[in-house]
């Protein structure tokens, strides 16, 4: 990534990630569609209620895996194989142990979290707890997959993740159909199908990494606790986790506001969150690509390439995001209907899709630049912006939800308040080059 046209490297890196995440989201959506059509609206609401808290835990693995990715990519750019092995082996051990702890923790706190924090209605609480506790068993496998995928991305291999996720998607959809329709296992069947697919995805990814990259071929004795590596991983990864975790935490407050309007709005909000991910995928992937590009080029002493790549990445992200958003808006009625929503739930879902999806295009105009901050170990910049944006969204939601000017519609209008401010702050940070060390800002 340190030579040649920057945009070609970035799009070549991002597209496999994008296709992989689209596949992953496809099986997440299929999971929800199958539950909605064959189990019912209450089951759909129950599964949807777990989305934000599930991601809150999963974000720990994603954030710290990103820390390892940045460290390995810097070592790769500097052609230091010893450091690459050190950070990769330590990262795998650290993330897997953390994944085990998080799996246990999520099961233990599930009831108080859904009852007191999210305020889940009693009519769907048993189904919510059943789905979430089974899903939580698989968190350790998701942590494992994320660390392997991050190490591969650090050396420029993002295409492999596409094949892993393709296999997992096909398997998960097949298992969903078998457990939910044939065995009539309901939400429990959907959760079991997801856990099995996650386990196999992790195993395949690890075997691939070990076989293709000798530098990442480890013996059991190679996995040991290295304090320096873990400290650096946490320094880079914790701000990324805070950005993702606080986003999930904040969305859970918006979800609580949606739940206060009844089961119909809860079901509609579930549909929005599933479909909204299709619009978010491009800027997540291009942000990751730009983070790796930044890490390698700064490691090689080429900051000017990073600055130019920032503009190119935003443009590419915007074009792809706008295309997906337009397709969703033109088919909003059919998409909403595919989840078997009726009456008020259908109306709310339709309005959420038509409005919130378009507003998300604004996010594509600044969010990819977070990759520049993260790639130079300045994740605290993107974390600050994400927290501020989320606070604005939550404030707007609770301020307007009981007022005539917005009322219930603030559930789908609130992103406009936060994203507008995030756009301005991010571009000021990027253009001022505050993400560079002082001696490199010329």
């Amino acid at each position: 990534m340190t030579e040649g046209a920057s945009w070609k490297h970035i799009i070549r890196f991002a597209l496999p990630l994008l296709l992989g995440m689209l596949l992953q989201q496809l099986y997440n959506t299929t999971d929800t569609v199958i539950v909605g059509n064959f189990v019912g609206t209450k089951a759909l609401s129950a599964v949807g209620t777990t989305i934000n808290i599930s991601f809150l835990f999963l974000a720990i693995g994603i954030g710290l895996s990103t820390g390892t990715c940045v460290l390995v990519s810097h070592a790769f750019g500097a052609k230091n194989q010893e450091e690459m092995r050190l950070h990769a082996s330590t990262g795998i051990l650290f993330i897997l142990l953390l994944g085990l702890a998080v799996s246990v923790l999520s099961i233990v706190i599930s009831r108080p979290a859904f009852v007191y924090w999210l305020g889940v209605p009693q009519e769907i609480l048993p189904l919510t707890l059943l789905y979430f506790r089974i899903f939580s068993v698989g968190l350790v496998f998701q942590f494992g997959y994320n660390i392997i995928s991050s190490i591969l991305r650090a050396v420029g291999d993002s295409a492999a993740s596409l094949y892993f996720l393709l296999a997992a998607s096909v398997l998960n959809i097949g298992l969903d159909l078998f457990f939910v329709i044939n065995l009539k296992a309901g939400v429990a069947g959907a959760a079991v199908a997801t856990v099995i697919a996650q386990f196999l995805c992790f195993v395949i990814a690890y075997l691939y990494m070990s076989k293709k990259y000798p530098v990442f071929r480890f013996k059991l004795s190679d996995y040991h606790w290295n304090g320096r590596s873990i400290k650096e991983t946490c320094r880079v990864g914790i701000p990324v986790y805070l950005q993702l975790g606080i986003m999930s935490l904040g969305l859970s407050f918006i979800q609580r506001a949606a739940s206060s309007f009844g089961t119909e709005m809860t079901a509609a909000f579930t549909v929005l969150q599933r479909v909204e991910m299709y619009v978010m995928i491009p800027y997540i992937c291009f942000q990751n690509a730009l983070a790796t590009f930044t890490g390698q080029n700064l490691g090689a002493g080429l900051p000017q390439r990073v600055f130019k790549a920032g503009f190119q990445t935003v443009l590419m992200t915007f074009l792809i995001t706008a295309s997906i958003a337009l397709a969703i808006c033109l088919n909003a009625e059919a998409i909403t209907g595919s989840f078997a929503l009726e009456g008020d739930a259908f109306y709310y879902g339709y309005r959420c899709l038509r409005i919130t999806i378009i507003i998300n295009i604004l996010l594509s105009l600044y969010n990819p630049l977070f990759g520049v901050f993260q790639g130079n170990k300045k994740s605290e910049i993107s974390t600050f912006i994400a927290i501020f944006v989320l606070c604005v969204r939550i404030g707007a939601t609770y301020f307007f939800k009981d007022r005539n000017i917005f009322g219930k519609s603030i559930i789908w209008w609130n992103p406009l308040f936060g994203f507008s401010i995030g756009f301005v702050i991010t571009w000021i940070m990027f253009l001022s080059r505050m993400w560079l060390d002082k001696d490199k800002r010329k």
Side-chain angles (χ1 to χ4, degrees):
M1 288 188 170
T2 57
E3 297 177 355
S6 302
W7 69 270
K8 289 183 179 179
H9 285 298
I10 291 169
I11 200 165
R12 191 181 299 124
F13 185 96
L15 281 180
L17 278 179
L18 190 148
L19 293 173
M21 286 193 70
L22 283 174
L23 284 171
Q24 187 175 34
Q25 187 57 27
L26 177 62
Y27 81 66
N28 285 335
T29 305
T30 303
D31 194 53
T32 311
V33 169
I34 290 172
V35 168
N37 280 273
F38 293 97
V39 188
T41 302
K42 288 184 179 180
L44 173 65
S45 299
V47 172
T49 301
T50 68
I51 293 175
N52 287 313
I53 193 169
S54 297
F55 189 75
L56 180 62
F57 288 115
L58 182 58
I60 298 172
I62 296 173
L64 292 172
S65 293
T66 300
T68 298
C69 176
V70 170
L71 298 181
V72 174
S73 69
H74 273 260
F76 181 73
K79 296 179 172 57
N80 188 335
Q81 289 201 357
E82 184 178 345
E83 283 289 289
M84 288 171 63
R85 283 182 60 83
L86 171 68
H87 293 310
S89 60
T90 303
I92 293 171
L93 176 64
F94 178 45
I95 296 300
L96 284 177
L97 290 175
L98 195 60
L100 281 172
V102 170
S103 288
V104 174
L105 176 65
S106 61
I107 294 171
V108 170
I109 71 167
S110 57
R111 176 172 287 275
F114 286 110
V115 173
Y116 301 111
W117 173 21
L118 293 177
V120 174
Q122 285 295 322
E123 58 184 325
I124 63 171
L125 182 60
L127 290 175
T128 301
L129 291 174
L130 177 62
Y131 180 87
F132 181 73
R133 286 168 176 168
I134 297 173
F135 174 87
S136 295
V137 173
L139 280 173
V140 62
F141 306 132
Q142 293 195 60
F143 274 51
Y145 168 75
N146 272 293
I147 184 62
I148 302 301
S149 179
S150 293
I151 291 169
L152 292 173
R153 289 200 307 271
V155 295
D157 187 354
S158 60
S161 299
L162 172 62
Y163 304 117
F164 307 149
L165 290 171
L166 175 61
S169 299
V170 172
L171 177 63
N172 194 76
I173 291 171
L175 290 173
D176 264 337
L177 294 170
F178 177 70
F179 282 113
V180 176
I181 299 176
N182 290 19
L183 297 185
K184 301 188 184 304
V187 297
V192 170
T194 301
V195 171
I196 293 173
Q198 290 164 349
F199 169 72
L200 291 176
C201 194
F202 164 56
V203 171
I204 293 170
Y206 183 84
L207 293 175
Y208 169 86
M209 180 190 72
S210 299
K211 184 174 182 179
K212 183 166 183 179
Y213 297 96
V215 68
F216 299 135
R217 197 172 295 157
F218 304 114
K219 301 175 183 176
L220 191 60
S221 58
D222 292 325
Y223 294 107
H224 59 273
W225 195 267
N226 184 281
R228 176 178 66 85
S229 180
I230 292 173
K231 183 179 179 180
E232 289 185 48
T233 295
C234 290
R235 186 170 67 84
V236 178
I238 287 178
V240 177
Y241 163 65
L242 289 175
Q243 176 192 333
L244 297 173
I246 290 171
M247 178 183 72
S248 180
L249 182 66
L251 288 175
S252 71
F253 284 105
I254 296 174
Q255 181 184 46
R256 186 183 177 93
S259 296
S260 71
F261 293 121
T263 305
E264 290 80 8
M265 183 65 85
T266 302
F269 193 70
T270 296
V271 172
L272 170 63
Q273 288 189 295
R274 286 301 190 200
V275 178
E276 191 177 22
M277 273 303 302
Y278 288 98
V279 186
M280 296 172 68
I281 284 171
Y283 48 78
I284 291 173
C285 294
F286 278 96
Q287 176 185 321
N288 284 330
L290 191 54
T292 301
F293 180 91
T294 300
Q296 291 190 15
N297 279 274
L298 291 182
L302 301 170
Q304 193 56 37
R305 277 175 62 83
V306 175
F307 190 71
K308 181 179 179 181
F311 292 96
Q312 297 172 337
T313 303
V314 168
L315 177 60
M316 291 186 288
T317 308
F318 166 74
L319 293 174
I320 296 174
T321 302
S323 299
I324 295 174
L326 179 62
I328 292 173
C329 287
L330 292 175
N331 296 281
E333 186 173 348
I335 293 171
T336 306
S338 70
F339 289 86
L341 298 185
E342 297 177 346
D344 287 342
F346 179 88
Y347 171 76
Y348 296 147
Y350 176 75
R351 294 291 290 171
C352 282
L353 291 188
R354 289 296 299 269
I355 295 172
T356 306
I357 295 302
I358 291 297
I359 295 174
N360 264 274
I361 295 176
L362 181 58
L363 195 57
S364 73
L365 291 172
Y366 74 86
N367 196 273
L369 294 176
F370 286 3
V372 173
F373 309 147
Q374 293 164 2
N376 194 32
K377 304 179 184 179
K378 297 290 179 65
S379 301
E380 63 275 8
I381 297 177
S382 54
T383 301
F384 162 75
I385 296 171
I387 292 172
F388 192 77
V389 166
L390 205 51
C391 287
V392 172
R393 289 186 62 184
I394 295 169
T397 299
Y398 281 87
F399 181 80
F400 288 114
K401 80 181 188 74
D402 296 318
R403 287 175 166 77
N404 293 331
I405 188 172
F406 278 106
K408 294 179 180 179
S409 68
I410 194 62
I411 299 301
W412 49 83
W413 278 109
N414 72 80
L416 181 61
F417 294 89
F419 295 168
S420 299
I421 294 174
F423 174 85
V424 174
I425 297 174
T426 301
W427 276 101
I428 289 174
M429 293 288 191
F430 177 72
L431 293 175
S432 64
R433 306 195 185 210
M434 292 182 67
W435 46 276
L436 279 173
D437 296 332
K438 290 183 179 179
D439 59 330
K440 298 178 181 178
R441 292 181 187 174
K442 297 178 181 180

